[in-house]
Amino acid sequence: MHHNAPRHSREHAHDIDWDALCSHLEREAELHTPALTQATHWLRDLLGVAGVRRALDVGSGPGVVASLLADAFPDAEVVAVDQSPALLERARTRSAGRIATRQVDLPDEFGRLGTADLIWSANAIHHLSDQQAALTALATSLRPGGLLAVAERGLPVRFLPRDIGLGRPGLQARLDAGNENGFTTMRAELPGVDEVEDWPAMLARAGLVPTGTRTFLTDLPTPLGLPAREYLHTRLARQRDQLGEYLNDEDRTTVEALLHADAPTSILWRPDTFYLTATTVHTARACAA
């Protein structure tokens, strides 16, 4: 299980272009690095540097947050945990040896994680059929006084104004609706009982004491730099492929115009393109011994 596989894709792992996915996830996380750095500093304030000897990034992807945890807790052993060897290799490369990696298939191999003072998991739990059981398993890996930090959903990415001069206004909202429908379908197809997504309550049911929720903003206004535009181009192409059933012909034509790399209508060149999103982090602590 890797935390940022195509959210609504029904592809099997062997069908995924891991090199392309690695690059896409790394670009995404790098756009969020200032916000994620703020989040790791908040965790450091909650725990103190000396209180963390081992930290886990569960569903680490290419290891961007694991590297930030190594910055925030320089004396701790930081371990990136994922199911994908390709993503873990990227994590090792970008960290220049500062983090360890462990290939684990979740939820079946939760027991292989070992104990930790801090566990971070972003956009991973929602891929598992029993989200409550997953949180409870992570909670059992915490040492006394340790902290579990879960980043799930937040606010969706905004990158276009309501009226872009192409097609019917409101394309962004319809893309968001398609994403929500796809997410709901993905969750419905997983076995087991779904939970109401009240994350602090779920953390409490896992036997932890909630210690606060904070949201961290990523706000890249116009004029948007080329790396962010290239990420959005890839993201929009993936949305076109994943949300085909939710888009009508007019919207598909508009998306194609936004993807046309050589046209002034392209997301790569439009002067009105921006990038705005928010990451919400829920935390809870294990009782001290």
Side-chain angles (χ1 to χ4, degrees), residues 9 33 41 52 65 75 85 97 111 113 121 139 144 159 182 189 192 199 215 248 257:
S9 173
T33 292
H41 288 179
V52 178
V65 173
D75 296 327
L113 294 176
S121 184
F159 55 93
E189 290 176 349
W199 294 98
T215 295
N248 61 27

Side-chain angles (χ1 to χ4, degrees), residues 46-265:
L46 288 173
L47 283 167
V49 175
V52 178
R53 294 162 293 156
R54 188 168 189 261
L56 305 177
D57 179 2
V58 177
S60 64
V64 173
V65 173
S67 293
L68 295 176
L69 290 172
D71 292 338
F73 301 97
D75 296 327
E77 177 196 14
V78 178
V79 185
V81 179
D82 207 284
Q83 78 164 12
S84 163
L87 290 173
L88 291 175
E89 178 61 33
R90 188 68 66 96
R92 283 190 291 271
T93 299
R94 74 172 294 119
S95 73
R98 294 184 306 131
I99 65 171
T101 59
R102 179 166 296 184
Q103 184 180 354
V104 172
D105 188 14
L106 301 179
D108 297 335
E109 297 180 323
F110 270 122
R112 292 186 54 214
L113 294 176
T115 60
D117 305 291
L118 171 62
I119 299 176
W120 167 280
S121 184
N123 300 312
I125 303 300
H126 69 242
H127 288 289
L128 305 179
S129 57
D130 191 334
Q131 297 178 102
Q132 183 63 63
L135 292 177
T136 300
L138 289 176
T140 62
S141 294
L142 285 175
R143 294 168 180 165
L147 194 75
L148 175 57
V150 178
E152 285 286 352
R153 305 309 299 276
L155 293 178
V157 171
R158 295 283 186 273
F159 55 93
L160 291 169
R162 186 190 68 87
D163 189 345
I164 62 172
L166 295 171
R168 185 162 65 95
L171 175 67
Q172 180 89 79
R174 293 191 294 279
L175 290 173
D176 289 344
N179 281 328
E180 286 298 322
N181 284 330
F183 186 89
T184 298
T185 299
M186 180 274 292
R187 289 293 311 163
E189 290 176 349
L190 293 173
V193 178
D194 229 350
E195 292 281 343
V196 174
E197 291 170 359
D198 180 346
W199 294 98
M202 293 167 70
L203 289 166
R205 286 197 294 273
L208 303 177
V209 180
T211 48
T213 294
R214 283 189 60 183
T215 295
F216 302 90
L217 190 67
T218 298
D219 180 10
L220 305 178
T222 61
L224 197 62
L226 186 58
R229 289 175 179 274
E230 290 175 339
Y231 165 76
L232 285 173
H233 189 273
T234 302
R235 177 189 175 90
L236 192 58
R238 295 170 71 85
Q239 285 186 308
R240 173 198 59 192
D241 296 340
Q242 294 168 6
L243 304 181
E245 62 188 289
Y246 301 111
L247 300 177
N248 61 27
D249 290 341
E250 183 180 19
D251 283 345
R252 276 191 288 271
T253 298
T254 301
V255 169
E256 292 298 339
L258 290 168
L259 291 173
H260 193 305
D262 296 325
T265 57

